[in-house]
Amino acid sequence: MGLAGFGALAGRTAWLQVVEGADLATKAKDERTVAWTNRAPRGDILGRDGTVLASSAVSYDIGVNQVKVAQYERSEERTDPATGEVRSVVVGHGAAAAAEQMAEILGVDAQELGAKMVGESTYVVVAEAVAPDTWRRVNALAIPGVEPDQRTRRTYPAGSVAGNVLGYTYEGTGRTLIGSAGLELTQNDVLTGVDGQGRVEVGKSGAIIPTGEQKEVPAVAGDSVRMTINPDLQAVAQEAIDEVVDAQGADWGCVVVMEPATGKLLVLADSDAVNPAKPSETPESSRNARSVQAIFEPGSVGKVITFAAALEEGTMTPEDTWTVPYNWTAANGQSFHDSHYHETQTLTSAGVLAESSNVGTVQIGEQLDDAVRHDYLKRFGFGALTGIEMPAESAGMVAAAADWDDRTRYTTMFGQGIAGTALQAAQVLATVANKGMRVPPRVVDAWIDADGNETPQEIPAGERVISEATAEALTEMLIGVTQDGGTAEAASIDGYLVAGKTGTTEILTEDGTVASFVGFTPARDPAIAVAVIVYRPRDTYGGTVSAPVFRKVALAAMHSLGIAPDPSVIAAQAAAETDAAVEAAQSESADEEG
């Protein structure tokens, strides 16, 4: 019987070692192996000067297995005064002992922390967003049941500056940050890194087994994105548009600043910009970039396209004269009038544009075939996406010329019956400023990988819209808009020549107007094109509402870009002021004599 029992035992032992041994060893190893994920930092988003506007920080949420913590015994080495013998003495038990040690490191109340650690749950978060150094100190206590949850959190050091461009993120499956607006969304694949992993064998006490498996694959950070946005200028523009929106009781406003020759956007500002770190605190309607999404009738800014087409097609010159009454009726019976009453006057083409006369514009526009004007609207960018690296861009609306009715064929001449975005409005004037070449706008300047290797974005190929000669002639006409007697004197800047166009259009779906000013400076050697849009202001006209914002932002841009005032412009402006003062004095003297 003894031999039989020994044989059965030997057989079972052999079975365990030979047949089940490998599986049992693997199972035992798995039970003593702790695995974790090394979260990959999301790439940064930088301003054009390298300023970090969005970044990632690794932190830990500390969780507790309440069942394991209840079994914890805190021991200390004590010396027996009688014998001099050093021995381990239990000085605390369970959650209270664990909380007493952790609270000092975490900077919290020990009793409140201890209360969170008592119960039957296998995982309860007791501290959030703990810095890595702090977690390492907690981990060194070797308290069983205290577990880390490594997370990557997004930070936005500049607050709401460029918030509508940056966008924001949410935490998806596996603690991965996912972009949900702005560049965080469109550049999500680029910004997202590759997580790493780690494995280590531990004993029952939680201590690492020195001879056990220890393996770690580091995370690879996502690439960074450098924007074309100038953070300082963006902040100035956001402040300026917020001020006018508040002062005017407007619904919203936006500012776009673009380099005509490169398409780079220095500013893409929206009023009430979202703070990406706290998106829920901003109304949902204000969390995105209205500058590329919201459409409106451009109003008199659209006249620029009509005049460009007439100059290019040779149906008009700047010196041509037009008889301009207050009211005018077309051959098809449609009547139009100017924004302010005036007696019938004779204006040059340049004068029609400077005074923003609707009557003069439709007389000029009707010299062109509808299909030709429609083609120019499309060539200047209306009705098509610009390709900007922003989500949900609107192409605007431009109906086919064949679908224009008797009135629309005329209203499209002065920017009604079509719709576009603030970005498209800026693109129109940028095209004129760039000698007739339209360069698609962009907001991403370069991509930078985790090793610092930079891949710049190429300047998009431009498209010829009008000739250099037409652009030059139109520029001189647009300069008149900002001079004495024009509709945008408030847009003039001391020491710099400004070319631009005001816009005021009634909103068909609700009471109110859209007030705008779009221009470029220095007019004869343009560095920037700027669009300022204010939706439903208390006052009506772009010349009084939007032009002052243009002046403030454009002047800040000149300083930022290091473009000094033009001495010849300073002298001309001083002479004009002197002439105006002399004329005023003479008028006052004549009144006194009378």
Side-chain angles (χ1 to χ4, degrees), residues 256 425-426 429-430 433 482 498-501 517-521 528-532 550:
V256 179
L429 271 292
T482 66
V498 174
K501 187 71 191 74
F517 180 83
V518 187
F520 52 89
T521 194
I528 57 169
V530 183
V532 180
F550 168 90

Side-chain angles (χ1 to χ4, degrees), residues 323-336:
T323 300
V324 183
Y326 170 66
N327 283 298
W328 181 82
T329 301
N332 65 4
Q334 296 294 322
S335 294
F336 303 93

Side-chain angles (χ1 to χ4, degrees), residues 204-460:
K204 289 184 177 180
S205 66
I208 296 175
I209 301 174
T211 58
E213 177 188 11
Q214 297 185 38
K215 181 179 180 181
E216 185 162 7
V217 177
V220 178
D223 291 355
S224 293
V225 175
R226 187 174 69 233
M227 301 188 296
T228 61
I229 298 295
N230 180 321
D232 293 338
L233 193 55
Q234 177 82 17
V236 170
Q238 287 185 203
E239 180 182 8
I241 198 64
D242 279 339
E243 286 178 355
V244 73
V245 167
D246 290 343
Q248 289 287 332
D251 288 1
W252 55 268
C254 53
V255 180
V256 179
V257 180
M258 178 178 174
E259 289 181 351
T262 67
K264 293 182 180 181
L265 295 175
L266 306 185
V267 168
L268 196 63
D270 290 270
S271 60
D272 191 25
V274 64
N275 182 342
K278 305 173 182 177
S280 61
E281 296 182 2
T282 300
E284 188 173 355
S285 59
S286 296
R287 294 178 197 169
N288 295 309
R290 287 193 179 99
S291 48
V292 301
Q293 294 181 15
I295 63 172
F296 54 90
E297 291 185 321
S300 294
V301 174
K303 292 174 182 175
V304 175
I305 300 177
T306 299
F307 278 74
L311 286 168
E312 186 75 5
E313 296 298 317
T315 61
M316 176 206 76
T317 69
E319 297 79 22
D320 288 344
T321 57
W322 308 85
T323 300
V324 183
Y326 170 66
N327 283 298
W328 181 82
T329 301
N332 65 4
Q334 296 294 322
S335 294
F336 303 93
H337 62 81
D338 284 335
S339 59
H340 297 85
Y341 177 78
H342 59 81
E343 298 293 338
T344 299
Q345 54 189 344
T346 300
L347 296 176
T348 63
S349 301
V352 170
L353 187 60
E355 296 192 15
S356 198
S357 168
N358 291 338
V359 170
T361 298
V362 294
Q363 291 182 60
I364 292 170
E366 74 168 357
Q367 308 299 313
L368 295 164
D369 183 77
D370 289 347
V372 172
R373 289 195 303 102
H374 181 274
D375 180 55
Y376 276 92
L377 288 169
K378 300 289 287 187
R379 287 162 65 177
F380 270 97
F382 279 97
L385 298 175
T386 68
I388 188 74
E389 307 93 335
M390 293 287 290
E393 182 192 4
S394 174
M397 295 186 297
V398 179
D403 295 332
W404 291 349
D405 58 27
D406 286 347
R407 187 161 189 82
T408 303
R409 73 174 299 263
Y410 283 100
T411 61
T412 52
M413 298 174 188
F414 49 83
Q416 295 182 15
I418 62 172
T421 64
L423 182 61
Q424 289 173 325
Q427 188 175 231
V428 171
L429 271 292
T431 299
V432 178
N434 194 35
K435 300 179 180 179
M437 292 290 290
R438 177 168 63 86
V439 179
R442 58 197 177 107
V443 74
V444 172
D445 191 42
W447 297 272
I448 307 168
D449 67 20
D451 296 324
N453 300 312
E454 184 174 313
T455 303
Q457 180 165 200
E458 295 181 4
I459 297 176

